[in-house]
Amino acid sequence: MLAALVLLMSLYAAHCVVAGGMESVGGKTLEEGYYQELATVYAGYAAMIRATGIFFSSILAYIGLKN
């Protein structure tokens, strides 16, 4: 149960990070052009959040099955 909760929370957190990266604007100024590339950075952070969530939920599931 705890493993499923950890997994769901990490997937939701990754979704929020990716959604935040999609709010870049048209790129008319230098600052706006810089922030357009942040979607890739946010996608990388989201992948790490997913991987960490899967790792910890699998450890918790293993501990639960072992007992």
Side-chain angles (χ1 to χ4, degrees):
M1 172 94 162
L2 184 60
L5 180 64
V6 168
L7 181 62
L8 288 175
M9 287 175 51
S10 68
L11 293 177
Y12 178 72
H15 168 73
C16 290
V17 168
V18 169
M22 297 299 171
E23 294 177 5
S24 69
V25 289
K28 296 176 184 174
T29 66
L30 181 60
E31 290 175 350
E32 291 171 346
Y34 170 75
Y35 286 117
Q36 281 183 336
E37 298 301 318
L38 285 180
T40 306
V41 174
Y42 285 127
Y45 286 142
M48 285 302 300
I49 292 169
R50 285 185 200 107
T52 304
I54 291 169
F55 173 75
F56 283 116
S57 64
S58 65
I59 297 261
L60 290 170
Y62 174 75
I63 291 171
L65 291 174
K66 192 174 178 183
N67 290 334

